[in-house]
């Protein structure tokens, strides 16, 4: 079996371009993909379309 795990988000997000659509899952604050959100901010792509069923709350995650 091929091991497709990566050590950081940077290689996984390398090809995300400006204007890309990103789908995120999550349920409450327990399921929000915080590392994905932080990785996208660090990667720097602009004008992303984010499709998500839960934006977090208050100052955390997508709501912040």
């Amino acid at each position: 079996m091929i091991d497709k795990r990566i050590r950081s988000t940077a290689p996984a997000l390398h090809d995300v371009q400006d204007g890309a659509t990103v789908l995120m899952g999550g349920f409450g604050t327990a399921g929000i993909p915080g590392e994905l959100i932080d990785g996208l901010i660090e990667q720097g792509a602009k004008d992303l379309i984010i499709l998500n069923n839960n934006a977090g709350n208050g100052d955390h995650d997508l709501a912040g």
Side-chain angles (χ1 to χ4, degrees), residues 3 9 13 33 35 37 39 44 58 64:
D3 184 356
T9 56
L13 300 175
E35 288 186 38
I37 295 166

Side-chain angles (χ1 to χ4, degrees), residues 31-56:
I32 296 293
E35 288 186 38
L36 172 59
I37 295 166
D38 293 343
L40 286 168
I41 292 168
E42 185 176 315
Q43 191 265 8
K46 305 287 185 211
D47 301 320
L48 299 175
I49 298 169
I50 305 294
L51 300 175
N52 182 269
N53 65 327
N54 181 2

Side-chain angles (χ1 to χ4, degrees):
M1 180 172 283
I2 299 171
D3 184 356
K4 295 182 180 183
R5 293 178 289 179
I6 57 171
R7 296 188 185 278
S8 72
T9 56
L13 300 175
H14 180 268
D15 293 329
V16 176
Q17 300 176 1
D18 291 351
T21 299
V22 180
L23 303 156
M24 294 184 188
F27 182 77
T29 55
I32 296 293
E35 288 186 38
L36 172 59
I37 295 166
D38 293 343
L40 286 168
I41 292 168
E42 185 176 315
Q43 191 265 8
K46 305 287 185 211
D47 301 320
L48 299 175
I49 298 169
I50 305 294
L51 300 175
N52 182 269
N53 65 327
N54 181 2
N57 56 21
D59 297 327
H60 302 289
D61 308 313
L62 293 173

